Amino acid sequence: MRTSLVTGSVLLALVGSSAARPADTPPLPERLADTGGGSQLITAEAPGTGSTTGTVSWWNLQSGRWVRAGSAPARFGAKGLTEGDTRVQGTNTTPTGLYDLPYAFGVEAVPAGTRFPYRRAGDRSWWCQDEAARAYNRWVEPLPADCGAGESEHLVAYSKQYARALVIGFNYDRPVRGRGAGIFLHVNGSGATAGCVSVPAPSMDRILAWADPARRPHIAIGTHSGTTAITRY
């Protein structure tokens, strides 16, 4: 009888402990306000707005649940992160928000398995960041007369960072002049970025092999908490 009482007490204690344990935290995409409506998502999360490092993860929606397919250490702007809707060009900040991914590009050849439209950068390839130019925040070949070279990026000059990259659709569809241009997910350079998100080269290749435009992937960029929390987007 004593053995039964002890066993019963232990079982009750275990049940009570299990009931008191908080439920598992849902995967990050399930806590976002919006994921873009597709079945793939990239999240780029930093501890706070002053952070220059964090984590990039990529996710698949499977049977109604988001499952992480991979993750990598990330770098952000040298001046941290800021709200994308009010960002100012030239501030070296990474814009927070939820964005589409128009296409991939690179100085190097398209990696095997890439399904995204991929544009190879050459000597004539520039990203126009001149606020006065008609092609503001666009790839141009060659550099137009109204787009100053000093206000733009000659893509092949960044052969390490732009070896392979994805265009982030920040300020892209209807560009607001002065908001910012040339925001990409690209390969790490020597340190923090000028406003992009970067990851190690092998991780960039894995992301390109994973990303499927038919599944409409987006990227959510934000902080762990606060007014720029990634869960707001």
Side-chain angles (χ1 to χ4, degrees), residues 131-149:
E131 299 174 36
R134 287 175 294 176
Y136 177 63
N137 200 20
R138 286 292 185 274
W139 178 302
V140 290
E141 287 188 7
L143 189 68
D146 68 340
C147 186

Side-chain angles (χ1 to χ4, degrees), residues 86-192:
T86 56
R87 182 183 184 270
V88 176
Q89 182 164 318
T91 54
N92 288 337
T93 53
T94 298
T96 60
L98 178 69
Y99 306 106
D100 63 357
L101 300 161
Y103 59 90
F105 74 93
V107 175
E108 296 184 6
V110 56
T114 300
R115 285 164 288 183
F116 248 76
Y118 188 91
R119 192 167 187 180
R120 184 84 181 267
D123 288 339
R124 290 162 50 89
S125 306
W126 293 74
W127 197 274
C128 181
Q129 299 181 11
D130 190 331
E131 299 174 36
R134 287 175 294 176
Y136 177 63
N137 200 20
R138 286 292 185 274
W139 178 302
V140 290
E141 287 188 7
L143 189 68
D146 68 340
C147 186
E151 301 295 326
S152 302
E153 285 191 340
H154 192 200
L155 298 178
V156 295
Y158 303 90
S159 58
K160 182 178 181 180
Q161 295 94 323
Y162 297 160
R164 288 161 183 152
L166 274 165
V167 176
I168 294 176
F170 165 73
N171 200 34
Y172 189 78
D173 288 339
R174 297 177 181 176
V176 175
R177 296 178 188 280
R179 181 65 48 77
I183 301 298
F184 312 126
L185 173 62
H186 64 68
V187 174
N188 283 341
S190 59

